[in-house]
Amino acid sequence: VVCVSGRECGVVRMQCVRLGKFDSDRTISFIPPDGEFELMKYRTTENINIPFKILPHVREISKTRIQADVTIKANFSRELNGTAVKVSIPMPKNTAVARINVEHGKAKYVPEASAIVWKIRRFPGQAEYHLSAEVELSASVSSQVKKWSRPPISMEFQVPMFTASGLQVRFLKVLEQKQQYQAIKWVRYVTQAGNYQYRI
């Protein structure tokens, strides 16, 4: 038996789940199958706690120069840490040189992706990290070259023990009388980036 609390959300139940008491007291009863399984899925579209805030400032100084300043702020508790953080900042395909400065993590221009890729192994809660870059573009003599469309910045990350939806497991009970085996109860939260993008 699992009791959950949080904001209103749409729930998709699995075959082993009984949702008779879910609407009244948010209790989910289920008979687990052997091995690992997915208990349920849910969807929410309101009041989401966004774990990272992206503050970009990208200026086209001239036809051959771009100045980029990007600040990332962690909006979660100081007790938590983001891991495997990867920020991709798009640049024009005719980028020739990128001079990048970061105080945390590592960043470099990746020609195959036409982007500056910034990797941070550990991102503490409430921390604020900054990247600055001066980019030189190769001059184009073709009139057919399209103007840079400024694709969005994309971000990948994991934040263990953080729920963006606010949904939490209040308690977990194991009811079993016949087999009398010992059950180990534990709950782990992990927030992962899906399609996490921010317009420049």
Side-chain angles (χ1 to χ4, degrees):
V1 179
V2 176
C3 181
V4 298
S5 66
R7 304 183 180 93
E8 291 297 320
C9 59
V11 176
V12 180
R13 67 173 181 173
M14 303 300 131
Q15 290 183 350
C16 64
V17 176
R18 300 169 181 173
L19 290 178
K21 295 184 178 180
F22 185 76
D23 290 335
S24 60
D25 59 12
R26 288 297 190 255
T27 299
I28 302 169
S29 299
F30 62 97
I31 301 174
D34 293 335
E36 185 175 331
F37 71 101
E38 189 174 68
L39 177 62
M40 68 177 222
K41 295 180 181 179
Y42 69 93
R43 181 181 64 255
T44 182
T45 58
E46 298 180 355
N47 300 316
I48 297 173
N49 297 320
I50 298 176
F52 290 99
K53 187 174 183 179
I54 304 174
L55 301 170
H57 185 49
V58 179
R59 294 177 298 157
E60 297 180 56
I61 298 173
S62 68
K63 292 183 178 180
T64 58
R65 287 184 61 204
I66 291 177
Q67 174 70 44
D69 293 285
V70 178
T71 299
I72 310 291
K73 182 174 181 180
N75 290 331
F76 44 88
S77 168
R78 288 184 173 89
E79 299 175 356
L80 305 179
N81 290 286
T83 60
V85 176
K86 178 182 175 183
V87 183
S88 296
I89 306 163
M91 288 291 137
K93 292 185 177 180
N94 60 327
T95 295
V97 179
R99 300 180 184 88
I100 306 166
N101 182 36
V102 292
E103 295 181 355
H104 300 88
K106 296 181 180 179
K108 65 178 181 178
Y109 176 71
V110 180
E112 298 80 12
S114 296
I116 294 172
V117 177
W118 182 15
K119 294 183 179 180
I120 305 168
R121 183 177 298 178
R122 178 178 172 273
F123 206 125
Q126 298 300 306
E128 187 172 300
Y129 291 164
H130 181 75
L131 174 147
S132 62
E134 292 185 6
V135 177
E136 294 183 9
L137 310 177
S138 58
S140 175
V141 296
S142 175
S143 60
Q144 301 299 319
V145 176
K146 294 182 179 179
K147 185 179 179 180
W148 185 40
S149 61
R150 288 178 171 251
I153 294 174
S154 62
M155 191 171 180
E156 299 175 14
F157 57 82
Q158 289 188 0
V159 186
M161 303 308 295
F162 172 82
T163 57
S165 66
L167 191 75
Q168 294 182 331
V169 177
R170 288 298 183 193
F171 64 81
L172 171 64
K173 284 185 180 179
V174 179
L175 307 176
E176 199 284 317
Q177 298 178 350
K178 295 182 180 180
Q179 302 296 330
Q180 295 184 351
Y181 55 72
Q182 295 294 321
I184 299 174
K185 298 183 293 182
W186 61 283
V187 177
R188 180 171 66 98
Y189 302 105
V190 177
T191 293
Q192 293 179 308
N195 190 12
Y196 201 87
Q197 297 183 335
Y198 195 96
R199 275 282 173 191
I200 297 176

